[in-house]
Amino acid sequence: MTVVQKYGGTSVGSIERLQAVAARIAHRAAQGRPMAVVVSAMGKTTDELVALAGAVSARPPRREMDMLLATGEIVSSALLAMAVRELGHGAVALTGAQAGVFTDDTFGRARIRGIDTERIQREFAAGNVVIIAGFQGASGEADFTTLGRGGSDTSAVALGAALHAQQVEIYTDVEGIYTTDPRIEPDARRLADIAAEEMLEAAAQGAGVMHPRAVELGLLYDIPIVVASSFAADGAAGTVIRKEVLMEPEDRVRTIALDRDVASLTLRQVPDRPGIAAQLFGPLADAGISVDTIVQNAGEDRLTDLTFTVSHADLEQAREVAAPLARELGAAELLHDHDLVKVSLIGTGMQSAPGYAALMFRTLSDADINIELITTSEIRITVLLRSEQGEQAVQLLHRAFALDQPVST
Ligand code: ADP
Ligand code: ASP
Ligand code: MG
């Protein structure tokens, strides 16, 4: 069975770290199973490349941006392969294209269309560990594409599926998936396992520890994902993300996610008539802007307020698209706000237990934290708050829902 591992940016953030990871790889490879390793760019390299582009252009062309960003993972994969060879084990570094990762041409958020594993298999046959540059692929024109920030996780799970691996091992700078980001709440606890549906919801709601599309792929191909620390001893316990195995899921908040990448737009006092939403959200979708939460307040005198949220990166463009539409629709004004965060409670069975929402709202109101907006799904309750109150809200809710306590069984 093929071993598929992924090491994140912090895990290879320095030459020392890179060598430590190489030692883990060489040790595992010595056990004789074919091994593919996906690697992220070293440390903050991707952020630095983004800043470089920003210094040259206010709106860098997406194709060139992807070409630039792809270099980060090319550097780390080449260095890692060298470091593994220094330890006496065969290793070869491959770009996304060389590894057969083919995507569509949506630069900046390309989707993987397929993986041709022929080259990887040949390298396995030659006794090489294959080190693959994560986060990148090649379009039909052989252009570099990238999968979106944090996308190396998705590269790894996609390769796991293509290579029929039994599981995918994601090594990062924390010991697994916690009840909330342990950097926000020191009493957060590591979960031994989490249902893929819950993890998908958490990842989509800003728990940056996993790329949402990686979790989606794991679910689709039924591949368990093991998240563990690259800093801990090899084989140390982590978290397994897998399809729910319990017959009757327990009702419990499993994790709290904080999303800092939230901006809102509000059309104030729009005349309330059918078709408004269609007129607004059609053009936003056509511009490639993904709209998250949408709330329409029933107003007075047949006037209504319409609020929706987008990511910070999309705010300017969303304003450009929405401004003429707001005038056309007869809105009094178009407001925007980028000082917002989303806090989400995630767990199965929450919808059938109204007590969760009540406790969440009471906890926040007791601390004078104002809720700007509320949305729910079957396994999630989300509130929109002022950014400066986000971390405090997470800490208070973590305690209120006893997530710092071991689960009694
Ligand atoms: P990598 O570079 O290895 O991909 P990331 O920075 O993308 O690592 O993800 C790891 C980080 O995710 C952790 O350092 C932690 O701060 C953050 N994080 C957010 N939510 C959680 C959570 N529920 N459990 C663990 N880590 C979390
Ligand atoms: N290097 C890319 C990023 O920083 C991809 C990744 O690390 O997963 O977003
Ligand atoms: Mg990551």
Side-chain angles (χ1 to χ4, degrees), residues 36 41 99 111 131-132 149 189-190 201 233 235 247 260 284 293 307 322 362 392:
R111 299 190 78 91
I131 314 274
I132 299 159
R149 294 304 303 269
R189 299 172 62 87
R190 179 177 57 83
E201 197 88 15
M247 293 193 69
R260 295 184 172 92
L284 284 166
T293 311
T307 298
R362 192 167 357 104
Q392 187 200 358

Side-chain angles (χ1 to χ4, degrees), residues 86-142:
E86 281 300 309
L87 297 170
H89 202 287
V92 62
L94 299 178
T95 63
Q98 291 166 341
V101 180
F102 297 108
T103 71
D104 62 18
D105 59 2
T106 350
F107 298 108
R109 51 169 166 234
R111 299 190 78 91
I112 298 175
R113 288 278 172 254
I115 301 182
D116 177 356
T117 60
E118 196 267 336
R119 174 73 188 272
I120 298 177
Q121 302 287 1
R122 247 190 304 135
E123 297 297 344
F124 285 162
N128 285 322
V129 175
V130 183
I131 314 274
I132 299 159
F135 173 58
Q136 60 178 257
S139 74
E141 295 271 32

